[in-house]
Amino acid sequence: MEQLGVSFRVLTGSATLADSTIKDLVRFAADTPFQMPEVVEAAKQMVAFGADARDIVPTMRMLGDVAAGLQIPLGQLTYLYGTLKSQGRAFTVDINQFAMRGIPIWDQLGKQFGKTNAEVRRMVEDGKVGFADVEKAFKAMTGAGGKFNDLMKEQSKTSAGLYS
């Protein structure tokens, strides 16, 4: 925990923010089917990709619901999401990385834009889909009524989740 504190102090530039973030991560790990080491690595990745430390837990909740639902390692999904965030725009390869893991991102983007998958693909190819659009799609998939809404909460009630 001491090394974790040092890492987050350096990454965030604030001892107070680092301590607060670590406490939030401990609660997050306790309430979800994910183990603390996996949560910490994903959180450090997010900060390294430029996420504000105050946004880590809400973003991890969103990504965690998808990861839990599809049995994707949280760190893997965080990496894909973070690389897209850092480049600002979505490329076809980025969207396909999500789709190949079973995430219905093409369909969700189609709903958002009121377009067919083929039209959304053209938009991506033309550079008209940014990180904000993908983030909105993830929020829709994990928010109220979304396909992955509260999946971690439900999985944390299983035997494996309780053990975690």
Side-chain angles (χ1 to χ4, degrees):
M1 288 303 276
E2 182 180 15
Q3 286 182 339
L4 179 60
V6 169
S7 291
F8 273 96
R9 274 192 289 280
V10 170
L11 288 169
T12 64
S14 163
T16 304
L17 184 54
D19 292 343
S20 159
T21 301
I22 291 168
K23 286 177 186 169
D24 290 344
L25 293 174
V26 168
R27 278 192 297 274
F28 177 82
D31 294 341
T32 68
F34 300 108
Q35 298 289 324
M36 190 63 182
E38 185 178 17
V39 168
V40 167
E41 286 308 309
K44 286 195 293 189
Q45 246 183 6
M46 288 177 60
V47 173
F49 277 122
D52 185 312
R54 289 172 285 273
D55 296 333
I56 288 175
V57 171
T59 302
M60 287 184 61
R61 225 167 258 300
M62 177 181 69
L63 296 177
D65 278 338
V66 175
L70 296 172
Q71 302 298 302
I72 301 169
L74 182 59
Q76 191 180 100
L77 188 53
T78 301
Y79 174 78
L80 296 173
Y81 190 80
T83 54
L84 197 143
K85 177 180 175 47
S86 67
Q87 64 198 21
R89 88 163 253 218
F91 291 90
T92 303
V93 68
D94 300 314
I95 304 300
N96 282 339
Q97 288 286 339
F98 293 124
M100 288 186 303
R101 285 163 176 80
I103 301 168
I105 190 74
W106 289 111
D107 292 340
Q108 187 60 48
L109 288 169
K111 285 181 196 173
Q112 271 176 225
F113 294 125
K115 307 264 184 202
T116 66
N117 282 359
E119 291 170 320
V120 173
R121 285 181 188 279
R122 276 193 297 284
M123 288 176 67
V124 170
E125 289 167 5
D126 293 342
K128 295 179 180 172
V129 178
F131 172 74
D133 299 313
V134 174
E135 182 179 42
K136 183 178 177 182
F138 269 86
K139 286 180 179 179
M141 289 186 289
T142 58
K147 183 174 195 153
F148 301 102
N149 186 13
D150 282 339
L151 261 166
M152 284 188 305
K153 182 179 177 181
E154 293 304 312
Q155 285 192 350
S156 69
K157 297 174 187 175
T158 67
S159 298
L162 291 171
Y163 177 75
S164 164

